Amino acid sequence: MSPPPSDLRPLAIGEIIDRSATFWRRHFRPLFLLSLGFNLATYILTKVLQLTLQDTLVLQTRGGDLEELGASLLRTLVSLGGVFLVSLWLYYLNTLVVARYVVPTQLGDEAAPATSLGRAWKRLGALTGAYVLSLLWGTGVLLLMMLPGGLMLGGGGVLVAQAGRGAPQLAGAALLIGGVIVVSLGFVGALLWYLLRFSLLAPVLAMEDLSAARSFRRSGELLSGRVEPGFIGRVTVRAMLLVTVVSLILLAVSALFGLPALVVQFAYRDPSQPLLSPAPQALLIPAELLQVVGQAVLNPLGLVVYAMLYLDMRVRREGLDIERRLDAAPPSPAQPVGAA
């Protein structure tokens, strides 16, 4: 059984993880079913991208026409960007569906996978709008964090280009190397910021009837300020620790269940063409589908963590636990007329 409303209270980070793991074990089947379809859709998109990349590599190894090669590379880049954006959108949608199942169940209300999917369908427009807003906001942050590295690369390029005129070539090379490092760190930092800033966007859309713009702001409001004294009391620090746990879970699951596909590719590798994968699809696809099933089994654990964090923020900031107890309390008997 899930905790009754009377058990709602502010949770420590370890308790959020523990409750998430407990919920995942007790509701394994519905969580698996709610995630399997999204993982299959993401796999299909990734498979299309993989085959597109394979065609591009074949053209490169055969020394194809330059115009044809350029068109193939352009298609690959467009496919890569499209698959990434659609896969991220599917991840948000999956998080919304899981949150709609987790939060009501934790509150002691009735919840069913069909209800969660119906809620996702109703909130599809708001989710897409909020997702676009998050991408625009994230792009701005990405450019800002990569700007110092970009300036270093530009300055290093100018110094190297003018090396024959007496400019310090060593300084230019150092700037180029430093610029690459700073740009890489900026990209990683922007990615982590994005995952942290919008970690509660899907749960907000799942549980609250807000517009896309209001949901965008609401998810930021829940993650602002502090809820306890000390460094760990800052909401962003708490969320960062939980996002790190979720990311490690996703990486570990992907690596573990991706081993069979890697073994198949390694067995059919061609040392003369290491970038090409001649492994037969009849063997590769079942191995990759095993990875999809493994992700559908364990990935919901990370999504449950986000739902638990949302619920904890509602308890800490808005007294949701007190509100639920008052709603559940029986009404006091009316005082008799004329009583003292």
Side-chain angles (χ1 to χ4, degrees):
M1 296 291 292
S2 298
S6 60
D7 195 38
L8 284 177
R9 57 182 175 81
L11 301 176
I13 294 177
E15 290 178 309
I16 292 178
I17 297 173
D18 179 66
R19 281 200 180 183
S20 299
T22 302
F23 187 96
W24 171 72
R25 290 196 305 269
R26 293 176 176 174
H27 300 268
F28 172 81
R29 186 173 181 274
L31 290 175
F32 172 77
L33 295 176
L34 287 174
S35 296
L36 181 59
F38 295 101
N39 284 283
L40 282 173
T42 302
Y43 166 71
I44 292 172
L45 290 171
T46 305
K47 193 65 179 179
V48 171
L49 176 62
Q50 181 186 17
L51 295 176
T52 303
L53 289 172
Q54 193 81 353
D55 292 340
T56 302
L57 292 174
V58 169
L59 280 175
Q60 289 178 333
T61 56
R62 292 177 179 175
D65 179 76
L66 184 60
E67 182 177 350
E68 184 182 8
L69 180 60
S72 180
L73 287 172
L74 179 60
R75 286 196 303 269
T76 299
L77 291 176
V78 172
S79 300
L80 181 62
V83 167
F84 174 77
L85 293 177
V86 175
S87 298
L88 186 58
W89 179 83
L90 286 172
Y91 179 75
Y92 274 116
L93 186 60
N94 192 13
T95 308
L96 188 158
V97 170
V98 170
R100 185 63 181 187
Y101 179 80
V102 173
V103 175
T105 303
Q106 282 295 104
L107 293 175
D109 300 329
E110 292 186 6
T115 304
S116 301
L117 293 172
R119 173 66 176 183
W121 176 256
K122 292 180 181 178
R123 300 293 285 160
L124 209 57
L127 172 68
T128 303
Y131 174 60
V132 172
L133 289 175
S134 74
L135 290 179
L136 294 174
W137 196 258
T139 300
V141 172
L142 175 65
L143 294 176
L144 183 63
M145 297 188 72
M146 293 178 66
L147 180 60
L151 293 176
M152 292 176 65
L153 287 173
V158 170
L159 289 177
V160 170
Q162 296 179 348
R165 306 175 194 174
Q169 188 174 12
L170 184 60
L175 277 176
L176 288 174
I177 296 173
V180 170
I181 295 174
V182 174
V183 165
S184 301
L185 292 176
F187 177 81
V188 173
L191 178 61
L192 293 176
W193 174 89
Y194 181 86
L195 294 175
L196 172 63
R197 167 60 179 82
F198 299 107
S199 58
L200 295 185
L201 181 60
V204 167
L205 287 161
M207 298 307 303
E208 304 179 29
D209 295 320
L210 303 175
S211 65
R214 186 68 188 94
S215 298
F216 176 86
R217 294 192 296 269
R218 168 75 165 160
S219 63
E221 292 168 358
L222 287 174
L223 290 172
S224 63
R226 62 170 61 248
V227 291
E228 292 178 354
F231 178 74
I232 201 69
R234 295 192 63 84
V235 178
T236 51
V237 175
R238 295 169 60 85
M240 180 179 64
L241 293 174
L242 292 173
V243 168
T244 301
V245 170
V246 172
S247 300
L248 290 176
I249 290 173
L250 297 179
L251 289 174
V253 169
S254 180
L256 177 63
F257 288 95
L259 285 177
L262 288 177
V263 170
V264 172
Q265 291 177 339
F266 181 79
Y268 286 88
R269 77 189 190 284
D270 185 353
S272 63
Q273 297 177 344
L275 296 179
L276 294 177
S277 176
Q281 296 298 324
L283 293 177
L284 189 57
I285 289 178
E288 292 171 340
L289 287 177
L290 175 63
Q291 183 179 13
V292 172
V293 173
Q295 289 173 339
V297 168
L298 291 175
N299 281 3
L301 174 58
L303 305 185
V304 173
V305 170
Y306 289 139
M308 292 293 183
L309 175 61
Y310 166 81
L311 193 56
D312 186 60
M313 287 299 100
R314 292 286 307 273
V315 168
R316 288 177 177 273
R317 292 188 176 279
E318 301 168 359
L320 181 62
D321 52 336
I322 300 175
E323 177 183 333
R324 298 287 296 189
R325 290 187 191 113
L326 290 176
D327 291 340
S332 57
Q335 188 177 25
V337 177

